[in-house]
Amino acid sequence: VTPAGRERIPVGRDGESSVVWLGTGVLESTEELLVSPSGRFLLFATPAAPAAADSVRRALGKRLLLDRTVDDRESAKTLDAAGAIAAEALAAGVRRDDALVAVGGGVVTDVVGFAAAILLRGVAWNAVPTTTAGMADAAIGGKTGVNHPLGKNLLGAFHPPAAVLADPSVLATLPDRDHRAGLVEALKAVWIGNADLAARAEREIPALRRRDAEALRELLGGAIRVKAAIVADDPRDASRRQLLNFGHTLGHALEAAGGFAALRHGEAVAWGIAAAVEISRRRAGLSADEAGRILAALSAIGPFPPPERDPGRLRPFLAMDKKATARGTAAILLAAIGSPRIDPAVTAEEWLDAAAIMSLS
Amino acid sequence: VTPAGRERIPVGRDGESSVVWLGTGVLESTEELLVSPSGRFLLFATPAAPAAADSVRRALGKRLLLDRTVDDRESAKTLDAAGAIAAEALAAGVRRDDALVAVGGGVVTDVVGFAAAILLRGVAWNAVPTTTAGMADAAIGGKTGVNHPLGKNLLGAFHPPAAVLADPSVLATLPDRDHRAGLVEALKAVWIGNADLAARAEREIPALRRRDAEALRELLGGAIRVKAAIVADDPRDASRRQLLNFGHTLGHALEAAGGFAALRHGEAVAWGIAAAVEISRRRAGLSADEAGRILAALSAIGPFPPPERDPGRLRPFLAMDKKATARGTAAILLAAIGSPRIDPAVTAEEWLDAAAIMSLS
């Protein structure tokens, strides 16, 4: 693979799979890579990445049945928004062999993907992520959904995009805060699943922060492969896929407690990882050295806004965790970098204790 | 199987399957037959069948986390209604290993099943159909969904209930018009897939109309088995499953043109079958004798309110048919009773012509 080339990464299995195309210049090949059984497309794009949307428009031309803007803010990720997207597609005459194209960050790919899942009981869709978090995580793996006042992604569907076009050159114009939050999600994946790449990425944080094309391509490719391997084992999030939730148990609660406004998702996950590292030291045998490496890397990606630490305000949101079952909330811990563990015995109080003391410089 | 016994009918395949329990007295065994991974249930019931809902309440007792009434009118089958059901479940603390129970007609099982499909990206559910149409068709096969102003079931998901409890004794209190409309759906299935049972059912229409337990059990069991066999071949409605849409292409348009108020679903399907019989005579070789038998049986189940016949008012709704693709709207025709055909070449104008002349005495 040359820097100008592209990688093809299959994600999922059987009837529920995506092909991820990763590389600088992938958006030059939109016409060849986007998938629609009928050849017709309906575009829903964020206003924040006009160049990416323009690439799709130019490539599809008259095959574009509809061209609409979608609100990319977390507060707009609602069931009503998904219903409105579906209604626009129906009014435009969408048929079950047409395909949607979502161009934007995680909010856009989650909500448009969910609209595709419920439209005519499921039409194909394509994801063109325009954020670091979208390329590393949100557009990969088939989870779509919307928020509910009680928590994130509480309504949704497993409905993988047919194709994901991830072009790191799109990230050049992404606001710095969004890029840094997205790097947290990418690092999370390699800390779970690729110790070698994690060590390299930790050394390259300055290059990653300044959006060096090769450093980004290597980390994103590694993150996508980690996720692809886990999703292939457990597409419906019944067991191993929970590993991807490293940093998310407390992260989701921090994000919700801030009204989805104080912290970006990736920023909340950074704090959630800091807490999970504390608990991993005590319960999973994570070494002081590796714990220190993770906290140092997060600090180098930061600083992040201070999180809510009040146990009384965090507790209700921890109880709403989607992974919670009658047996409790499973915690994802690290025995070592690259060696995650699911520990079903971590109580909400332990998370709250860790939230009180977690620290990133 | 004794009249007081129960039949176990598996529907679907692999990870996407239901078990249908059919028989008088099945609701006495609710506790044993309803499925929840956690053992906890959330009940959503129509006010129209209080005895059936009471059976569930008595059987589940303290395992019932929530007990709510759901509007059973077609006009209430909306995305908002599904969202409200999901919100009530979330507020009650639903977890991904809990299960919903829908007690009611097709509207309730469709909308509660859809809420289960999107809640936490899918929780288990159970269907307790309380109408003839629900037992013969709506609760069987995994299609869930809600209506949109542009047409029926335009938003939805494939999400089969874990268990379906169909107790014909519940039908004793169903309004006559609803029962007769439901018989149309049951007959539809055997006309497609079981010529012997169709001939017997046509002779037993007086018994079916007066809700004779044994006649109903035989017809419902036959209809469920026809649907089960077709769904196992094509769970996602890509090809053979379209056969179940016999009478529905025009039927859906008639129902939508009447604002979902003038005709019950089954009544619209009766007219849709009358039109499909006309087209089947010309295009599929259906004999005059068998065409006459179908029309006579429908007439004996009727009369039904007169349908919209104005081509200008029906045409837009035909164009919205969910099965439509770039290649046109596939028609389901009968070469003979028990021998359906998919004919991709029937135009909207042919349906409109048939709508103008179709007749039931």
Side-chain angles (χ1 to χ4, degrees), chain B residues 215-226:
Chain B
L216 274 179
R217 199 194 54 70
E218 185 178 29
L219 175 59
L220 290 171
I224 293 167
R225 285 194 170 80
V226 166

Side-chain angles (χ1 to χ4, degrees), chain A residues 61-149:
Chain A
K62 290 189 173 171
R63 299 160 69 201
L64 212 47
L65 191 63
L66 183 69
D67 183 350
R68 285 283 182 278
T69 294
V70 181
D71 191 336
D72 209 347
R73 286 169 299 183
E74 192 72 33
S75 60
K77 194 174 142 179
T78 63
L79 185 61
D80 280 352
I85 288 166
E88 290 193 294
L90 290 168
V94 64
R95 294 185 300 226
R96 51 166 56 183
D97 52 352
D98 297 329
L100 311 191
V101 183
V103 178
V107 167
V108 169
T109 53
D110 277 6
V111 74
V112 174
F114 182 52
I118 67 174
L119 194 50
L120 307 179
R121 295 203 186 88
V123 301
W125 72 292
N126 300 266
V128 181
T130 60
T131 62
T132 313
M135 293 185 197
D137 191 54
I140 312 296
K143 285 189 181 180
T144 69
V146 296
N147 299 330
H148 180 276

Side-chain angles (χ1 to χ4, degrees), chain B residues 77 105-115 125 138 143-146 153:
Chain B
K77 194 174 140 178
V107 167
V108 169
T109 52
D110 277 6
V111 74
V112 174
F114 181 52
W125 72 291
K143 284 189 182 178
T144 69
V146 297
N153 299 320

